[in-house]
Amino acid sequence: MFRFCLALLMITCGAPISADVIGRVRVIDGDTFDIAGIRVRLHGIDAPEHKQVCETEQGANWACGAWVSARVAEMYGGKRARCKEVDRDSYGRVVARCEIGGRDVGQRLVSEGLAFAYRKYSMAYDLDEKGAAVNDRGLHASRVQNPAQYRATRAQGRIPPDRTCAIKGNISKSGKIFHMPGQRDYERTGINLSKGEQWFCTAAQARAAGWRKARR
């Protein structure tokens, strides 16, 4: 009776309840899966973003993010996983440790050089990453920017320094195009002032400077 009351008290007090997520894997990218309709972010690891580019020792660029996503899909796509929730992130995703075939997925990905130990949140895979680096496995055989730094760099130029002048004057192969808040490509467009791109306060100001409005 005491145990029942204690359990009931925990529920009514809003105590967090973690549960297993079990099901077939659909790979989103190197550290994110869809399992049984639930978006799962692997705990303690950080893989390159899908569009991230790395550099070989010879100085050539290659699509390392897409390569990692493809490799992880080959390894785990369609396989049955059991994940134990650790937390929820700011996007509402379940952050979890997952096992497939009895092996820790995060540990394997870091050990094979397909992801990095995300030391900000966990030191669980610190030695696995060091072993991969020493042996030049996977990403460690090339020059790769830390995924967190890459995301921070991409975010630069996306947030208007003055909220009253939030129109983005972008320069692309299509010419000078300005994006209004709410348009399709507004959020992902970054402004690089050193390339001649500009922030505008009004559409009229942008047109007067030679920019045309984005179609969508």
Side-chain angles (χ1 to χ4, degrees):
M1 182 65 179
F2 174 78
R3 290 180 180 177
F4 173 79
C5 292
L6 180 60
L8 182 61
L9 179 62
M10 291 177 66
I11 293 172
T12 56
C13 289
I17 300 173
S18 63
D20 287 353
V21 178
I22 303 171
R24 302 287 177 183
V25 170
R26 184 169 74 88
V27 173
I28 303 302
D29 59 29
D31 53 32
T32 309
F33 297 163
D34 272 352
I35 302 173
I38 298 173
R39 184 61 53 90
V40 175
R41 174 67 162 80
L42 296 174
H43 176 69
I45 76 168
D46 201 14
E49 298 297 306
H50 184 76
K51 293 184 178 181
Q52 188 168 340
V53 175
C54 299
E55 187 177 301
T56 67
E57 293 296 333
Q58 291 73 38
N61 290 333
W62 66 289
C64 58
W67 175 76
V68 167
S69 296
R71 285 283 296 118
V72 176
E74 290 174 5
M75 293 164 63
Y76 293 126
K79 294 189 177 180
R80 188 174 177 81
R82 177 184 290 272
C83 303
K84 177 70 71 175
E85 181 179 341
V86 176
D87 199 359
R88 296 286 176 113
D89 67 12
S90 58
Y91 299 101
R93 298 177 297 186
V94 172
V95 180
R97 293 189 180 93
C98 297
E99 288 189 358
I100 295 178
R103 183 171 180 183
D104 184 322
V105 174
Q107 182 183 39
R108 182 181 179 189
L109 294 180
V110 174
S111 294
E112 296 191 13
L114 298 174
F116 300 92
Y118 209 170
R119 296 177 179 86
K120 177 180 178 181
Y121 298 102
S122 174
M123 293 296 291
Y125 308 120
D126 176 64
L127 293 179
D128 297 292
E129 181 186 311
K130 289 175 180 175
V134 167
N135 291 283
D136 289 335
R137 296 192 199 112
L139 295 166
H140 298 284
S142 65
R143 301 186 184 97
V144 55
Q145 187 179 26
N146 179 287
Q149 293 176 341
Y150 172 80
R151 290 190 293 270
T153 300
R154 288 191 65 201
Q156 292 176 4
R158 293 187 180 188
I159 301 173
D162 182 347
R163 292 181 180 274
T164 64
C165 298
I167 298 172
K168 297 179 177 181
N170 177 243
I171 301 176
S172 68
K173 293 179 181 179
S174 302
K176 295 182 176 181
I177 300 172
F178 69 87
H179 301 265
M180 304 282 290
Q183 287 194 285
R184 186 191 67 178
D185 296 327
Y186 181 84
E187 292 296 335
R188 66 182 182 182
T189 298
I191 296 304
N192 188 335
L193 298 178
S194 67
K195 293 183 178 180
E197 297 177 333
Q198 298 183 41
W199 293 97
F200 296 105
C201 303
T202 67
Q205 181 188 29
R207 290 192 179 96
W211 268 259
R212 67 173 176 84
K213 185 178 180 180
R215 295 187 177 89
R216 291 181 287 181

